Amino acid sequence: MNTELIGIVVMFTAAIVLAIPFGKYIAKVYGGEKMGLDPIFNPIEKLFYKTSRIDPSSPMDWKQHMVAMLTINMVWFLLGMLILMTQGSLPLNPDRNPSMPADLAFNTVISFVVNCNLQHYSGETGLSYLGQFWLMFLQFVSAGTGMAAAAVVFRAFREKTSSSLGNFYDFFVKSCTRILLPVSFLIAVILAFDGTPMTFEGKDTIVSLEGDTVEVSRGPAAAFVSIKHVGTNGGGFFGVNSAHPFENPSYLSNMVEMVGQLIIPLAMVFAFGYFIRRKRLSWMIFGVMTVGFLMLAIPNILMEVNGNPAIGKMGIDNTLGAMEGKEVRLGAAASGFWSIVTTVISTGSVNSMHDSSMALSGMNELLAMMINCFYGGVGVGILNFFVFIILAVFVSGLMVGRTPEFLGKKVEAREMKIAMIIALIHPLMILVGTGLATAFPEQGASTLNNPGFHGFSEILYEYTSSSANNGSGFEGLGDNTLWWNISTGFVLILSRFLPIIGPVAIAGLLADKRFIPEGEGTLKTDTSTFGLMVFAVIFIVAALAFFPALALGPIAEFFSM
Amino acid sequence: MKKHLIPAAVLTLVMLVFFTVIYPMAVWGIAQFSPNWGKGEIIEHEGRHHYANIGHSFIRDDYFWSRPSAVDYNAGGSGGSNKGPSNEEYLASVQARIDTFLLHNPGIDKSQIPVDLITASGSGLDPHISIQAAEVQVARVARERNLPEDTVSELVASQTEKPLLGIFGPARINVLKLNLALDNLSE
């Protein structure tokens, strides 16, 4: 058991230690500074811009950024629908998997365009290798989109007063080529040598020692599994994601995938500080995020290690922990830790089945996605946190009776309205969706895999995961129905683009305002006092809004056991 | 929006070439130097091949059993049971697995049965069992194979895979490798 705990500590520490210099690197990338990798990437990027006739140096204001972002996302959506609905007759399909029906294609494309990777299909039977590659492309560019949006916000606070905030294509392409690609490539190579397949051959057939004939799905998984983590996408190549012994063959691969998914969300926090030259602010943000993260992760590790009390009562040896839905090579502790990492940072890849985790572990997984800003997904995590900072600045301003300011800019009614709307969209999407699916049992209840309170949690989890753009699931839910495909599809779109546009708009509006130098009465935002304030706002807005729903699901289940 | 549409579409196409052709081909190229050319680690045995990372269903008494599986170890797909911890029906099936195990392993007390042997894995393809799960089956396998228990115990010890570098993660036993070694021992 000790070796399992040491493994977790080392994974987490390694991610933080690597994230600090990587954050500095990211800040250099967005600052357009010279770097050692220029000779490799400059020609590639030039080629991209030359063919598409884009001038990456022409400045954009926040609105132009958003128009460019939405346009290219629409292109991906349309092209994606075309590919997934015709993949059955396209090449690279050795297993002869069929084309997707329209509703499933709609859900799948949206879900990968918005970096969620909710999967209502199983990779082994639902996609050709061409389809997988298209989704892998979306894993790169959707992560790049989120990071580009964060870069706009970074830029807005670097200049004293300016409406030109860099160029969207510049931020986006560099995110993909200079940040996501090198890390993904390195991890893909490690995984390939650790046993993850990287082949274009289709299913193999084997005969087991007891004489059963079974098939074994293979495919070009290593390249896919690495970007799925690095871009905090989370969509698995195979149905069970990183619980699959091909996607996650050993404890080593588990550690590599863990560091791979944590590194960019952590590094973005440090990149912000380096970029605007306020490192203390980064540490305040990092501190609040880490406290929140540990408050969710530690109980989960303990609950999973202690095992299912209902099975313990049967008198067997329960010391390995809650092993239903978990793999022996990874163990209960690393699975409990992963279940929170993947939900706080919106990866949504799983190495154990969350549906089978303990009742309150399930609650923490839900809470992690409901809060959705303790580290958060690549780029978007810090945008979500930014909204809470703005709210905290306003509340603190009211408490001391001064005009609220953040980094020398007055926060006024317009910014506050946007921040409030963004903060409330998330509960609105989750609770309305869950309410509707619960109200129509033929759509909701009939698709459940478990009765009672846990069944309600399955519905709640699906909408929470969609709205948080997370992509994990209580996978017992039979979610490939018209209802689930369409309803979560709309939740996905709204919960992706509004929380990107909102913070970028706030940052753009603030960037336009006159810079007020710090004085006696300025509220310091890089202190632990202010950190506590942000934490309180997050707790009140995000956590309490969901308490009644949690009480009906995981909390009720816990007390019924 | 119109101004961006054509550049966005062209940019998408060139990036498609870069990220879905050049990147995976580079990974594929390097994977050719990995064991079995990136097709998954293979164990050859008596003219048949097996994947070291993909578990097999073992239900005969003269083999060490694998963990229960929601997909019967058919690796054309994958899946867990997704049963919640309080699900009565599920708990009844766990109880049934305990009863079956006790029936096939007389002399074993149920407090010796480790939880991994009566719960289904996440993937349904888990190639491993815990050390305890192998030890609790030693008496049965030895009896069925007419081998001394000590010999089988030693085999289990020799097949134990240590934590990574001795300090990270759980120790475990690959059931397929253990049973192949068992077959070699019996011959």
Side-chain angles (χ1 to χ4, degrees), chain A residues 281-553:
Chain A
L281 183 68
S282 275
W283 284 103
M284 184 282 285
I285 298 174
F286 175 76
V288 174
M289 289 176 164
T290 304
V291 168
F293 169 71
L294 292 176
M295 282 171 70
L296 294 168
I298 292 171
N300 262 41
I301 297 168
L302 294 177
M303 286 186 283
E304 296 306 310
V305 165
N306 286 337
N308 186 345
I311 292 182
K313 272 185 220 148
M314 296 175 189
I316 55 109
D317 176 0
N318 210 13
T319 48
L320 287 170
M323 288 306 288
E324 182 70 39
K326 293 193 180 60
E327 304 284 300
V328 168
R329 67 188 175 284
L330 310 174
S335 301
F337 178 68
W338 181 299
S339 74
I340 288 301
V341 171
T342 193
T343 42
V344 288
I345 64 174
S346 110
T347 313
S349 68
V350 295
N351 73 354
S352 69
M353 295 301 112
H354 289 191
D355 217 345
S356 300
S357 39
M358 293 302 97
L360 293 185
S361 300
M363 179 183 78
N364 283 356
E365 290 154 12
L366 283 162
L367 265 174
M369 295 187 287
M370 288 162 172
I371 294 167
N372 209 20
C373 68
F374 291 153
Y375 309 134
V378 288
V380 292
I382 198 154
L383 294 184
N384 289 337
F385 196 87
F386 173 68
V387 169
F388 287 114
I389 291 182
I390 296 295
L391 293 180
V393 162
F394 186 75
V395 174
S396 319
L398 288 185
M399 285 165 76
V400 295
R402 282 179 188 276
T403 321
E405 283 167 24
F406 179 58
L407 302 180
K409 300 298 174 97
K410 270 188 193 162
V411 177
E412 289 165 305
R414 214 165 148 203
E415 293 83 52
M416 274 310 297
K417 276 184 203 151
I418 300 173
M420 271 324 294
I421 291 171
I422 300 306
L424 292 177
I425 278 174
H426 194 45
L428 182 80
M429 289 291 150
I430 295 172
L431 298 175
V432 169
T434 306
L436 285 175
T438 314
F440 298 111
E442 66 279 15
Q443 307 297 348
S446 67
T447 57
L448 302 180
N449 188 44
N450 286 285
F453 305 123
H454 194 87
F456 175 76
S457 302
E458 288 182 342
I459 297 178
L460 180 63
Y461 199 106
E462 188 70 4
Y463 283 108
T464 308
S465 175
S466 305
S467 185
N469 284 185
N470 182 277
S472 64
F474 271 13
E475 286 299 342
L477 187 73
D479 47 19
N480 186 13
T481 65
L482 202 60
W483 169 273
W484 285 114
N485 284 335
I486 303 296
S487 70
T488 55
F490 282 107
V491 170
L492 286 167
I493 302 178
L494 293 170
S495 304
R496 164 73 167 182
F497 293 110
L498 297 179
I500 286 183
I501 296 170
V504 169
I506 295 174
L509 292 171
L510 291 183
D512 249 345
K513 293 187 185 184
R514 200 166 55 84
F515 181 80
I516 311 154
E518 275 188 30
E520 283 278 300
T522 307
L523 174 76
K524 294 242 187 313
T525 48
D526 53 5
T527 60
S528 49
T529 318
F530 184 72
L532 201 67
M533 201 62 212
V534 180
F535 194 87
V537 169
I538 292 174
F539 186 75
I540 292 164
V541 175
L544 292 188
F546 295 106
F547 183 74
L550 291 171
L552 289 174

Side-chain angles (χ1 to χ4, degrees), chain A residues 3-4 6-7 10 44 48 51-52 54 60 67-68 71-72 75-76 124 133-134 136-137 140 169 172 176 181 184-185 188-189 192-193 195 197-201 203-210 214-218 223 226 239-240 243-246 249 251-252 255 308 310-311 314-318 320-321 323-331 353 355-359 449-451 454 475-476 557 561, chain B residues 1 4-5 7-12 14-16 18-20 23-28 30-31 33-35 37-40 45 48-51 53-54 56-60 63 67 73-87 90-91 94-95 97-98 110-116 118-123 125-130 132 163-164 166-170 172 176 179-180 183:
Chain A
T3 54
E4 295 189 41
I6 295 173
V10 169
I44 298 173
F48 288 180
T51 22
S52 53
I54 288 169
M60 295 179 173
V67 172
T71 311
I72 198 161
V75 170
W76 299 333
E124 293 96 329
F133 271 171
W134 167 251
M136 183 177 76
F137 172 73
F140 274 103
Y169 298 107
F172 160 67
C176 295
L181 181 73
S184 301
F185 185 72
V189 169
F193 278 86
M198 187 65 204
T199 173
F200 291 91
E201 291 179 22
K203 285 192 172 91
D204 195 5
T205 305
I206 58 166
V207 181
S208 79
L209 291 192
E210 291 193 351
V214 295
E215 295 189 311
V216 177
S217 275
R218 298 178 294 179
S226 61
V240 291
H244 197 290
F246 273 163
Y251 201 80
L252 174 71
M255 293 179 93
N308 186 345
I311 292 182
M314 296 175 189
I316 55 109
D317 176 0
N318 210 13
L320 287 170
M323 288 306 288
E324 182 70 39
K326 293 193 180 60
E327 304 284 300
V328 168
R329 67 188 175 284
L330 310 174
M353 295 301 112
D355 217 345
S356 300
S357 39
M358 293 302 97
N449 188 44
N450 286 285
H454 194 87
E475 286 299 342
E557 186 185 11
M561 279 178 80
Chain B
M1 185 151 291
H4 290 285
L5 198 57
V10 179
L11 182 64
T12 299
V14 273
M15 287 180 78
L16 252 177
F18 188 71
F19 286 104
T20 65
Y23 159 69
M25 286 318 284
V27 177
W28 180 84
I30 294 178
F33 298 98
S34 71
W37 307 279
K39 295 178 200 170
H45 181 75
R48 290 182 190 166
H49 69 286
H50 309 284
Y51 287 86
N53 286 322
I54 300 291
H56 285 201
S57 160
F58 286 108
I59 47 172
R60 267 167 36 190
Y63 278 127
R67 299 182 62 192
Y73 287 94
N74 191 345
S78 54
S81 72
N82 286 308
K83 295 297 182 193
S86 63
N87 187 326
Y90 158 69
L91 291 172
V94 172
Q95 185 61 55
R97 287 178 193 145
I98 297 175
K110 69 178 172 185
S111 65
Q112 292 171 275
I113 306 175
V115 64
D116 59 323
I118 50 160
T119 49
S121 62
S123 61
L125 308 171
D126 196 343
H128 297 105
I129 52 174
S130 64
Q132 302 93 299
L164 176 63
I167 44 172
F168 303 133
R172 67 230 168 257
L176 174 64
N179 281 329
L180 284 171
D183 275 352

Side-chain angles (χ1 to χ4, degrees), chain B residues 133-150:
Chain B
E135 282 170 352
V136 75
Q137 301 186 58
V138 163
R140 184 194 77 231
V141 171
R143 193 176 57 243
E144 290 287 324
R145 297 237 169 192
N146 293 319
L147 290 168
E149 277 192 28
D150 287 349

